[in-house]
Amino acid sequence: MESSRKFFPAIAVLLLLVVSTEMVPAAQARECETASNHFKGVCVMMANCGNVCLTEGFTGGRCSGFRRRCMCTKEC
């Protein structure tokens, strides 16, 4: 009975350690962006920018900056 009391704190700490490591979210990949080569004009609608970026091989795109340029995005 005495030996089980000695091991209880160690087992509790181990259990908490296992549970806490399972709850940590996976690391997210960084998102890199570069100006679109094919988008012409001022970027007003993000959907248009995103579609052009998809044709260029990127995962998406958004209008960005004061000059409203189409910036294509992908995971680094």
Side-chain angles (χ1 to χ4, degrees), residues 42-66:
V42 178
C43 185
V44 178
M45 296 186 65
M46 287 198 197
N48 292 342
C49 175
N51 288 335
V52 171
C53 289
L54 288 175
T55 64
E56 292 182 32
F58 292 92
T59 58
R62 62 175 163 258
C63 302
S64 180
F66 179 73

Side-chain angles (χ1 to χ4, degrees), residues 5-23:
R5 286 187 184 177
K6 289 181 182 178
F7 288 115
F8 180 73
I11 292 172
V13 169
L14 251 151
L15 183 62
L16 287 173
L17 183 65
V18 169
V19 169
S20 67
T21 57
E22 293 294 324
M23 298 175 79

Side-chain angles (χ1 to χ4, degrees), residues 32-48:
C32 295
E33 65 179 22
T34 185
S36 171
N37 292 324
H38 296 103
F39 192 88
K40 303 294 181 206
V42 178
C43 185
V44 178
M45 296 186 65
M46 287 198 197
N48 292 342

